[in-house]
């Protein structure tokens, strides 16, 4: 039961990472596109916020992963490949 719960938590973190990656890509494409400096500054802040959130989620995922488990490493590698990280 505990393994299923931990696996579900890892899946949730991976889903959150993929959502953040998509949002970051959207904001990265919009950086510097506006003629308004205020809009550009807001976009830069949002983009940086998404990057920080991704790093924190990745750290949480790394802490939750099983140590010295080859299947866990393969699972994480596959999820990161899907995300493009």
């Amino acid at each position: 039961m505990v393994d299923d719960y931990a696996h579900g938590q890892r899946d949730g973190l991976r889903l959150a990472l993929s959502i953040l990656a998509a949002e970051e890509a959207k904001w990265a494409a919009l950086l510097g596109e506006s003629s308004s400096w205020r809009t550009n500054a807001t976009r830069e802040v949002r983009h940086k916020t998404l990057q920080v959130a991704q790093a924190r989620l990745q750290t949480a995922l790394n802490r939750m992963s099983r140590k010295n488990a080859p299947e866990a490493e393969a699972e994480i590698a596959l999820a990161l490949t899907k995300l493009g990280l």
Side-chain angles (χ1 to χ4, degrees):
M1 182 74 168
V2 173
D3 279 343
D4 289 339
Y5 181 74
H7 183 72
Q9 282 185 321
R10 289 190 303 271
D11 285 346
L13 287 174
R14 285 189 202 98
L15 177 61
L17 273 172
S18 66
I19 291 168
L20 286 173
E23 282 294 309
E24 183 195 2
K26 178 180 90 173
W27 287 106
L30 295 174
L31 290 177
E33 291 291 315
S34 177
S35 59
S36 169
W37 68 269
R38 189 171 294 165
T39 300
N40 287 331
T42 302
R43 288 176 179 172
E44 287 176 19
V45 168
R46 286 181 183 168
H47 183 251
K48 183 63 179 177
T49 302
L50 290 168
Q51 289 177 332
V52 169
Q54 280 183 321
R56 289 183 179 181
L57 280 175
Q58 186 62 50
T59 300
L61 183 60
N62 289 342
R63 288 181 182 165
M64 289 180 65
S65 66
R66 293 179 236 145
K67 304 295 181 215
N68 300 325
E71 64 275 354
E73 291 175 13
E75 182 182 335
I76 291 170
L78 179 63
L80 291 176
T81 303
K82 286 181 181 177
L83 294 175
L85 297 175

